Amino acid sequence: MPSGRKGSVPRGANLLKAAQELGVELESICGGRQTCGKCQVIVEEGHFPKHGLTSRPDHLSAPTAREIEYSQENRLQGRRLACAAEVLGDVLISVPEESQARKQVIAKAASERTIEIEPAVRLVYVEMQPPDMSDARGDWERLQVALEEQWDLKGLSLDSSALTALQSNLRQGNFAVTAAVWQNREVLRLQPGYREGLYGLAVDIGSTTVVAHLCDLRTGAVLATEAAMNPQVRYGEDLMSRVSYANSEPQGLSRLNRGVIRTLNELAEKATAAAGLLPTDILDAVVVGNPVMHHIFLGLHPRELGGAPFTPAVSSALDLKASDLGLSFHPAARLHTLPLIAGHVGADNVAVLLAEAPDEQDEVMLIVDVGTNAEIVLGNRQRLLAASSPTGPAFEGAQITHGQRAAPGAIERVRIDPLSLEPRLKVIGYDEWIRPGASLPHEARATGICGSGIIEAVAELFLAGIILPDGLFNPAAAERSPRVRYQGRTGEYVLADESLTATGLPVVITQNDIRAIQLAKAALYAGSKLLMNHWGAQQVDRVILAGAFGSFISPYHAMVLGLIPDCDLNKVVAVGNAAGDGARFALLNRNLRQKAARLARWVEHVSTPLESSFQDEFVAALGLPHSRDPYPTLAPFLPQPSADGRTGRRNRIREKHQLV
Amino acid sequence: MPSGRKGSVPRGANLLKAAQELGVELESICGGRQTCGKCQVIVEEGHFPKHGLTSRPDHLSAPTAREIEYSQENRLQGRRLACAAEVLGDVLISVPEESQARKQVIAKAASERTIEIEPAVRLVYVEMQPPDMSDARGDWERLQVALEEQWDLKGLSLDSSALTALQSNLRQGNFAVTAAVWQNREVLRLQPGYREGLYGLAVDIGSTTVVAHLCDLRTGAVLATEAAMNPQVRYGEDLMSRVSYANSEPQGLSRLNRGVIRTLNELAEKATAAAGLLPTDILDAVVVGNPVMHHIFLGLHPRELGGAPFTPAVSSALDLKASDLGLSFHPAARLHTLPLIAGHVGADNVAVLLAEAPDEQDEVMLIVDVGTNAEIVLGNRQRLLAASSPTGPAFEGAQITHGQRAAPGAIERVRIDPLSLEPRLKVIGYDEWIRPGASLPHEARATGICGSGIIEAVAELFLAGIILPDGLFNPAAAERSPRVRYQGRTGEYVLADESLTATGLPVVITQNDIRAIQLAKAALYAGSKLLMNHWGAQQVDRVILAGAFGSFISPYHAMVLGLIPDCDLNKVVAVGNAAGDGARFALLNRNLRQKAARLARWVEHVSTPLESSFQDEFVAALGLPHSRDPYPTLAPFLPQPSADGRTGRRNRIREKHQLV
């Protein structure tokens, strides 16, 4: 149980072997030496576990001295070690979840996805014969034999750092070692005696933000998540200015590359410290990013990605040594980069596919991973389309007057009362809604506004009638509230006055901020729309809103803003950093790396900026929520436009045409 | 011709394909693009080559414009390019040797061994389609397809340095590149357009001397040979003192390792400079050495090699990246170390086996590779035994009063007239024999004496009766010549007086020098004798005298010294640095690396110092030529011992027992 398998095994076979013969894989690191305790089972029938280990069992052999010792140290509580208990008659055995070899973990709460833990690196414990004069073989050759005999691992190679430490590790462990084996092909690390720790890092290199998840490769648990600004931002906020920088400066590529490598090292340092580990405990890593980030990370010049035909240097997945890239993980640590779909649709997009698995759905899914460069995926198991759209960094808080990263002090949620035009706020690091005039502890004072806060703020301004469908401030609102004020000819809204901020200056949303958000959301929407046109979808069944920026986006506000097309609001889900999740999945399960390679070849890519209709769709998407496409779902919520307002909006949008 | 193969091919097939179908492999780098000119053939019948390329051929297609162009630039002189000439009827074709794919070269002059050139790295030229918008694949993916289509190379990986330069190389070569491919598995280097150069380094790391051969991997030619002192000598002349140094000093291993790596880099620098190349032109290397040198070179602690059970960290062959070891060859250069036979019988011994191939002989061969640590091999195709013997550095000129490395100025040959007791000398760098009183140019003046010179000097001193069979100076000789003189109680012989030396001081052979040579040769002989006893050989059919020290050893003098057992002098051959030759063979032919692995497993190793009879054999071997074993071959040459001399010698050898 719970597999329900049954069968006969030779009398005296232990339960570990018996389970294997019946096709049930039990966890085991020590290979049946009653050391690791991973193969614990519950005997349901044919034995008297209730009476304790020392009672005379009926159909299982009595516990060995080693099992009793292990049991006392670790409180087995009636369980048996499968490797110690020999079958003497009919028994019914339950395998608790933690003893199953291929554990499933809930890897993604929002979409309730579970994945099997089957990392590229695994631990095996071996015991060897000590050397003697009759045996001329080296330590490594004897270890190879032990690995083959005890784990059926054949033809392994040995990383040079493991080779250097081989002799001392074997002797320190009295010729018993725990080997970390990569892809059943190479021994990366040896540790004396029996060990358990096995860790990896999943990294999403965004144009603006770099996120790293430190994972326990045996349990699948995320031990720590750290994020940092991409230091390349100082050389340009969007991808094209980074490409230009690499093109124009002789040391440009090297500077961009060193910056992101340093950032990864710092993230690894922080994440491992948070988990009580060291960066050198990291044995495997998966890195994703858009094609420009991917190339710069690998030290490849992004020049060719800057223009047609957008040819990447390499599009397939790579298996590298982390140290070759300058990463200070374990000297033998491996690093896997997911494949690109095309020169403008990157490994981050592939990671989004892994995380959300639209290829396994019947529903037509639209996945929008919002960042400085947004990834868009549309389709289902029949057909998948992918594109990227240069949104700009507005959604990450850049180019916004009081924008900031999602960090303590950032306004992340906004509500505006349509009658009083007064706001309510939520600030990261403080649980309560904040109203004007509140008396606040220091940590509740706002320092700025992050991506999700801006989306909500602009949507709420529109819902409250403070800004019009064309994004301009409504002069009538200025007459109703002192929060709406004009600096010369352009309006602004005071979101948090001095008393609510840490700086002592108000946090405002300006006309320029709103325009930046309009441009960004129009680029996103136009990209989605082009994919829908390509796919032949009039509407989508489900929308996944993903993005690394701070806490989750509010689906309702994203739709009010017109960032996504109309859809049943119950079918719009915000999932956080999907690209980072995909990197994590590929870290935890090596089969998903192969799936990623298949997906990268199968998915069709659409080059949105080269599509002739992109410009038209972009302009039409500038309005709130949209100048042309209907949003029946939102009808009850939107302010009633006056006939005059409509006309005025159209005229003004035409004027904005000049801006594009 | 000359294979004699014949058959039918489809009309219009070119001669390159036709040859392939008939199982004749022609050389080709460009893959049939009429670019490299490697597939030249001579048309014996069915064509009129005598009339020149532009004449109308009968049964071959007319030369293409590209072939005519190539022909004019390179003076084909009636030959055709097999890739250009299409078969239209019966023809008889000769393949000149240089066009045969697997060229044989005479790789070893002394034993006239030929080997096929089939290096681990080869060059292939590919032409690709330029990228376009319809093709989302990366440069590397398109290159992979081209490599598979044009060269049947599947599933290749790409070295990270080649990946970094991939885009610029492809574009610089207008999407035609020459790839250097290692073991049909990995692309190490890409060069724009069509290229030919391919170089490797074969290295023998001796305890005292490091030798490097720079080889052209396409022709097998040795382009340069460089040698240097092993800088580890400063930490101890013999292996055990290096092991002690590594054991006792915290930075000991690291210093020993860095010293030899630096030496290899210097040798690579010198050798490539001599050939008009750069160290970064080196793409492959094979390194051999005794187990301690092998371990230190790889950064492995030699501790375990210092005592029973002499367990090496690794005994099998390794394929490494040269850069991982700190070698400044091409960043992607590979490095192969030959396997060890046991913890005290090393990769140098395996190299000697490769070079001399006793496993292919019926004759029982004794191979003695003389160095500070000597390698000894005995046997034939039936059975092979191997051992090493710690000879000490005397044969390399160390521990000798005026000893020096084999370099210009070193006395390398010595003759002493048994009547006048006057010497004749040869000095490296000067062709004439030198006699006392000669008027010499500066370059002919001696600076010291090298290994081969010492062997000849001691043997000649014995043959002239100046020293007795026990190695002591004969007081009677001092009465006959002023060259034999006593400093207190110990004698010495003036080999070159002030007028013949560059230093203005005489070069002398002292009693201590002679004792050092006796100890060294006794260790060698005792090792050989133990192997003969193990094998059950009363005598050997052939003796190979190998050694890195300077020019070749004189077999006659080596036998007079008792360095080797009695053997027909016509069957004693001096072959120079056999270990270095073996390394070179493994560099030029990758199949020999596999043979080396088989040999290392097959050969039986004998641990000479642990054999109980070693001490006895060693003591008996101290006398000249030997105290016990007969040398019938030498009977005509040796001085007649007086009855008194015999007795005296025995007594004195017993006294020396104390020394051992």
Side-chain angles (χ1 to χ4, degrees):
Chain A
M1 298 292 286
S3 73
R5 305 213 183 181
K6 53 186 172 182
S8 296
V9 297
R11 184 183 168 86
N14 69 43
L15 284 172
L16 184 63
K17 296 238 182 256
Q20 274 166 0
E21 282 182 23
L22 297 176
V24 175
E25 283 190 67
L26 292 186
E27 178 82 278
S28 174
I29 297 181
C30 72
R33 289 199 180 70
Q34 304 166 34
T35 304
C36 71
K38 301 297 173 200
C39 64
Q40 293 175 24
V41 292
I42 300 157
V43 188
E44 305 284 357
E45 289 175 19
H47 184 45
F48 304 115
K50 295 272 157 53
H51 297 172
L53 274 168
T54 51
S55 76
R56 175 72 196 155
D58 292 332
H59 293 162
L60 285 181
S61 63
T64 63
R66 204 161 175 178
E67 185 183 0
I68 292 169
E69 186 189 345
Y70 182 90
S71 167
Q72 286 166 349
E73 281 173 15
N74 299 275
R75 296 168 190 269
L76 276 193
Q77 295 184 311
R79 291 181 172 189
R80 293 294 306 269
L81 298 182
C83 64
E86 290 168 6
V87 178
L88 307 172
D90 287 348
V91 286
L92 174 62
I93 305 291
S94 274
V95 181
E97 201 188 326
E98 66 271 22
S99 300
Q100 292 167 16
R102 303 204 171 174
K103 283 190 255 312
Q104 296 228 332
V105 294
I106 297 174
K108 200 159 172 68
S111 43
E112 286 183 355
R113 292 248 297 143
T114 60
I115 60 165
E116 271 189 358
I117 305 299
E118 195 181 344
V121 182
R122 64 169 170 140
L123 296 181
V124 297
Y125 170 78
V126 281
E127 294 179 358
M128 297 158 54
Q129 289 295 319
D132 62 50
M133 278 304 290
S134 69
D135 185 354
R137 292 172 305 169
D139 284 338
W140 167 234
E141 287 70 28
R142 283 178 299 111
L143 178 57
Q144 277 178 304
V145 170
L147 285 164
E148 179 164 352
E149 284 175 359
Q150 296 168 35
W151 291 98
D152 203 27
L153 289 164
K154 290 174 198 161
L156 294 185
S157 61
L158 183 64
D159 182 86
S160 57
S161 69
L163 175 59
T164 311
L166 172 67
Q167 302 176 99
S168 57
N169 278 322
L170 289 188
R171 282 157 187 83
Q172 202 180 324
N174 205 15
F175 295 95
V177 283
T178 303
V181 180
W182 176 75
Q183 298 282 28
N184 295 340
R185 272 152 56 185
E186 185 168 16
V187 173
L188 300 189
R189 182 183 68 187
L190 292 169
Q191 293 172 295
Y194 173 78
R195 302 290 184 98
E196 286 196 3
L198 187 63
Y199 308 99
L201 200 71
V203 179
D204 172 27
I205 303 177
S207 310
T208 305
T209 309
V210 184
V211 181
H213 303 290
L214 177 70
C215 297
D216 185 322
L217 297 184
R218 293 196 4 82
T219 65
V222 177
L223 303 179
T225 295
E226 297 286 340
M229 283 287 278
N230 187 331
Q232 296 167 1
V233 165
R234 83 185 59 148
Y235 307 112
E237 279 176 342
D238 60 295
L239 293 177
M240 284 310 117
S241 41
R242 311 247 177 112
V243 175
S244 301
Y245 181 76
N247 278 339
S248 59
E249 288 284 321
Q251 294 296 314
L253 170 59
S254 162
R255 269 186 215 132
L256 294 168
N257 169 264
R258 284 203 311 263
V260 71
I261 296 292
R262 196 167 49 240
T263 299
L264 253 67
N265 280 332
E266 288 163 4
L267 290 175
E269 181 92 39
K270 277 187 202 166
T272 50
L277 298 169
L278 293 170
T280 48
D281 287 319
I282 298 172
L283 266 191
D284 195 17
V286 171
V287 174
V288 304
N290 61 55
V292 173
M293 292 301 99
H294 167 275
H295 272 48
I296 292 175
F297 169 68
L298 294 173
L300 302 174
H301 206 290
R303 187 188 298 113
E304 302 295 327
L305 301 172
F310 305 105
T311 306
V314 57
S315 57
S316 43
L318 294 178
D319 282 309
L320 303 163
K321 284 188 71 171
S323 62
D324 283 349
L325 295 168
L327 294 168
S328 45
F329 305 162
H330 189 277
R334 290 304 195 123
L335 185 139
H336 181 86
T337 56
L338 288 183
L340 317 186
I341 294 171
H344 44 84
V345 184
D348 48 358
N349 227 317
V350 175
V352 167
L353 293 171
L354 279 190
E356 301 304 327
D359 57 298
E360 297 171 8
Q361 314 295 324
D362 291 316
E363 288 183 324
V364 177
M365 281 172 77
L366 173 69
I367 309 172
V368 182
D369 193 335
V370 186
T372 306
N373 199 60
E375 288 73 52
I376 309 172
V377 173
L378 177 78
N380 60 9
R381 65 171 84 244
Q382 309 293 332
R383 185 186 180 200
L384 277 177
L385 300 177
S388 68
S389 194
T391 321
F395 288 137
E396 308 204 42
Q399 294 181 343
I400 302 294
T401 309
H402 290 104
Q404 70 159 92
R405 277 177 56 221
I411 297 167
E412 59 166 344
R413 315 208 69 176
V414 174
R415 294 288 180 277
I416 297 174
D417 186 294
L419 296 178
S420 67
L421 305 190
E422 285 296 283
R424 282 185 296 151
L425 314 172
K426 267 202 169 174
V427 164
I428 298 180
Y430 189 69
D431 280 344
E432 307 289 320
W433 281 98
I434 297 165
R435 291 173 189 277
S439 167
L440 292 177
H442 185 74
E443 70 271 19
R445 291 175 196 266
T447 52
I449 185 163
C450 68
S452 60
I454 290 162
I455 288 175
E456 293 200 357
V458 176
E460 289 282 325
L461 287 171
F462 173 56
L463 288 169
I466 298 171
I467 60 172
L468 296 168
D470 60 7
L472 289 182
F473 273 91
N474 185 350
E479 292 163 20
R480 289 174 53 203
S481 166
R483 291 192 176 272
V484 183
R485 59 195 194 191
Y486 276 80
Q487 304 279 356
R489 289 177 56 202
T490 63
E492 64 180 30
Y493 177 81
V494 180
L495 194 59
D497 55 40
E498 302 88 301
S499 70
L500 297 185
T501 68
T503 57
L505 295 170
V507 170
V508 301
I509 307 285
T510 71
Q511 187 69 67
N512 278 342
D513 296 344
I514 294 164
R515 185 171 295 141
I517 293 296
Q518 281 179 286
L519 291 168
K521 74 103 183 178
L524 266 183
Y525 184 91
S528 303
K529 190 71 187 298
L530 281 186
L531 291 195
M532 289 169 69
N533 292 345
H534 266 268
W535 209 89
Q538 293 298 313
Q539 59 179 49
V540 297
D541 299 325
R542 180 177 285 273
V543 175
I544 307 283
L545 265 174
F549 54 102
S551 59
F552 298 160
I553 312 172
S554 151
Y556 167 63
H557 291 94
M559 197 182 291
V560 168
L561 202 62
L563 191 147
I564 53 173
D566 189 69
C567 182
D568 178 352
L569 267 175
N570 294 319
K571 297 271 197 162
V572 183
V573 190
V575 295
N577 177 8
D581 288 340
R584 188 160 53 89
F585 291 6
L587 178 68
L588 295 177
N589 186 317
R590 63 200 184 107
N591 301 321
L592 289 178
R593 302 181 187 184
Q594 292 175 351
K595 182 185 174 187
R598 290 193 302 272
L599 281 173
R601 285 191 298 270
W602 178 60
V603 170
E604 300 165 52
H605 63 97
V606 177
S607 177
T608 44
L610 294 186
E611 295 278 326
S612 57
S613 57
F614 184 81
Q615 186 76 342
D616 177 52
E617 290 291 352
F618 176 74
V619 172
L622 285 168
L624 301 176
H626 197 277
S627 313
R628 197 165 58 196
D629 294 348
Y631 275 84
T633 303
L634 293 179
F637 310 110
L638 295 187
Q640 295 299 324
S642 66
D644 166 63
R646 274 191 185 276
T647 314
R649 174 163 56 106
R650 290 210 185 98
N651 286 335
R652 283 193 287 276
I653 286 177
R654 272 188 216 104
E655 284 162 22
K656 229 166 251 152
H657 214 120
Q658 307 295 328
L659 283 176
V660 182
Chain B
M1 298 291 287
S3 74
R5 304 211 183 182
K6 54 187 173 182
S8 295
V9 298
R11 184 183 167 88
N14 69 42
L15 286 172
L16 184 62
K17 296 239 183 254
Q20 273 165 1
E21 284 183 22
L22 297 177
V24 175
E25 283 192 68
L26 292 185
E27 177 82 277
S28 174
I29 297 180
C30 71
R33 290 199 179 69
Q34 305 166 33
T35 303
C36 71
K38 301 298 174 201
C39 66
Q40 293 175 25
V41 293
I42 300 158
V43 189
E44 303 284 356
E45 287 176 20
H47 185 43
F48 304 115
K50 295 273 156 52
H51 297 172
L53 274 168
T54 51
S55 77
R56 176 71 195 154
D58 292 334
H59 292 163
L60 286 180
S61 63
T64 63
R66 204 160 176 180
E67 184 182 1
I68 291 169
E69 186 188 342
Y70 183 90
S71 166
Q72 286 166 350
E73 282 174 11
N74 299 276
R75 297 169 189 270
L76 275 195
Q77 295 184 309
R79 291 180 172 189
R80 293 294 306 270
L81 296 182
C83 64
E86 288 166 9
V87 179
L88 305 174
D90 287 349
V91 285
L92 174 63
I93 305 292
S94 274
V95 181
E97 200 188 325
E98 65 270 24
S99 299
Q100 291 167 16
R102 303 203 171 175
K103 282 192 257 312
Q104 297 229 330
V105 293
I106 297 175
K108 199 158 173 68
S111 43
E112 286 184 355
R113 292 247 298 141
T114 60
I115 60 165
E116 270 189 359
I117 304 299
E118 195 181 343
V121 182
R122 64 169 170 141
L123 297 180
V124 297
Y125 170 78
V126 281
E127 294 179 358
M128 295 157 57
Q129 289 295 318
D132 64 50
M133 279 304 288
S134 68
D135 184 355
R137 292 171 306 168
D139 284 339
W140 168 233
E141 287 70 28
R142 285 179 296 108
L143 177 57
Q144 277 179 304
V145 170
L147 285 165
E148 178 164 353
E149 285 176 358
Q150 295 168 34
W151 291 98
D152 203 27
L153 290 164
K154 289 175 199 160
L156 293 186
S157 61
L158 183 63
D159 182 86
S160 58
S161 69
L163 174 60
T164 311
L166 171 68
Q167 302 175 99
S168 56
N169 277 323
L170 289 187
R171 282 157 185 82
Q172 202 181 322
N174 205 15
F175 295 94
V177 283
T178 303
V181 181
W182 176 75
Q183 298 282 30
N184 294 341
R185 272 152 54 185
E186 183 168 18
V187 174
L188 300 188
R189 183 183 68 189
L190 292 168
Q191 293 170 295
Y194 173 78
R195 302 291 182 95
E196 287 196 2
L198 187 64
Y199 309 99
L201 200 69
V203 179
D204 172 27
I205 304 177
S207 310
T208 305
T209 310
V210 184
V211 182
H213 302 290
L214 178 70
C215 296
D216 184 323
L217 297 183
R218 294 196 4 80
T219 66
V222 177
L223 303 179
T225 296
E226 297 286 340
M229 283 288 278
N230 188 329
Q232 296 167 359
V233 165
R234 83 184 59 147
Y235 307 112
E237 279 176 341
D238 61 294
L239 294 176
M240 284 311 118
S241 43
R242 310 242 180 116
V243 175
S244 300
Y245 181 75
N247 277 340
S248 59
E249 289 283 323
Q251 295 296 314
L253 170 60
S254 161
R255 271 187 213 131
L256 294 168
N257 170 265
R258 284 203 311 265
V260 70
I261 296 293
R262 194 167 51 240
T263 299
L264 253 67
N265 280 331
E266 287 164 4
L267 291 175
E269 181 92 39
K270 277 188 201 167
T272 50
L277 298 169
L278 293 169
T280 48
D281 288 318
I282 297 172
L283 267 190
D284 195 17
V286 171
V287 174
V288 303
N290 61 56
V292 174
M293 293 300 99
H294 167 275
H295 272 46
I296 292 175
F297 169 69
L298 293 173
L300 303 174
H301 206 290
R303 188 187 299 114
E304 301 296 326
L305 301 173
F310 304 106
T311 308
V314 57
S315 57
S316 44
L318 295 176
D319 282 309
L320 303 161
K321 283 188 70 171
S323 63
D324 283 348
L325 295 168
L327 293 168
S328 46
F329 305 163
H330 188 278
R334 291 305 195 122
L335 185 137
H336 181 86
T337 56
L338 289 184
L340 316 186
I341 294 171
H344 44 83
V345 185
D348 48 358
N349 226 318
V350 174
V352 166
L353 292 172
L354 279 190
E356 301 303 328
D359 57 298
E360 298 171 8
Q361 314 295 324
D362 291 317
E363 286 184 323
V364 177
M365 279 172 77
L366 173 70
I367 309 173
V368 182
D369 194 335
V370 186
T372 305
N373 200 59
E375 289 73 51
I376 309 173
V377 172
L378 177 78
N380 59 10
R381 67 171 82 244
Q382 308 293 333
R383 186 187 179 197
L384 276 178
L385 300 177
S388 68
S389 195
T391 319
F395 289 138
E396 309 202 42
Q399 294 179 341
I400 300 294
T401 309
H402 290 102
Q404 69 159 91
R405 280 179 52 223
I411 297 168
E412 59 167 343
R413 315 207 70 178
V414 174
R415 294 290 180 276
I416 298 174
D417 186 295
L419 295 177
S420 67
L421 307 189
E422 284 296 283
R424 282 184 296 150
L425 314 170
K426 266 201 169 176
V427 164
I428 297 180
Y430 189 68
D431 279 344
E432 306 290 318
W433 280 98
I434 297 165
R435 291 171 188 276
S439 167
L440 291 177
H442 185 73
E443 71 270 19
R445 290 174 197 265
T447 53
I449 185 163
C450 68
S452 60
I454 291 161
I455 288 176
E456 292 200 356
V458 176
E460 289 281 325
L461 287 171
F462 172 56
L463 289 169
I466 298 171
I467 60 173
L468 296 168
D470 60 5
L472 289 181
F473 274 92
N474 185 349
E479 292 164 21
R480 287 173 55 203
S481 166
R483 292 191 175 272
V484 184
R485 59 195 193 191
Y486 276 81
Q487 305 279 354
R489 288 176 58 201
T490 64
E492 64 179 31
Y493 177 81
V494 180
L495 193 59
D497 55 40
E498 303 87 300
S499 69
L500 297 185
T501 70
T503 58
L505 296 170
V507 171
V508 300
I509 307 286
T510 70
Q511 186 70 66
N512 279 339
D513 297 343
I514 293 164
R515 185 171 296 140
I517 293 296
Q518 281 177 286
L519 291 168
K521 74 103 184 177
L524 265 183
Y525 184 91
S528 305
K529 190 70 187 301
L530 281 187
L531 291 194
M532 289 169 70
N533 292 345
H534 266 267
W535 209 90
Q538 293 299 314
Q539 59 179 48
V540 297
D541 298 325
R542 180 176 286 273
V543 174
I544 306 283
L545 264 175
F549 54 103
S551 59
F552 298 159
I553 312 171
S554 152
Y556 167 62
H557 291 93
M559 197 182 291
V560 168
L561 202 61
L563 190 147
I564 53 173
D566 189 68
C567 182
D568 178 352
L569 268 175
N570 293 320
K571 297 273 196 159
V572 182
V573 190
V575 296
N577 178 6
D581 288 339
R584 187 159 54 88
F585 291 5
L587 178 67
L588 296 177
N589 187 315
R590 63 201 185 109
N591 300 320
L592 289 179
R593 302 182 187 184
Q594 293 177 349
K595 183 186 173 186
R598 289 194 302 273
L599 281 174
R601 284 192 297 270
W602 179 61
V603 169
E604 300 164 53
H605 62 97
V606 177
S607 177
T608 45
L610 294 187
E611 294 278 326
S612 57
S613 56
F614 184 81
Q615 185 77 340
D616 178 51
E617 289 291 352
F618 176 74
V619 172
L622 285 167
L624 301 176
H626 196 279
S627 312
R628 197 164 62 195
D629 294 347
Y631 276 85
T633 304
L634 294 178
F637 309 113
L638 296 187
Q640 295 300 322
S642 67
D644 167 60
R646 274 191 184 277
T647 314
R649 172 162 58 102
R650 288 210 185 98
N651 285 334
R652 281 192 290 276
I653 287 176
R654 270 189 218 103
E655 283 162 24
K656 230 167 248 151
H657 214 121
Q658 308 296 328
L659 284 175
V660 182

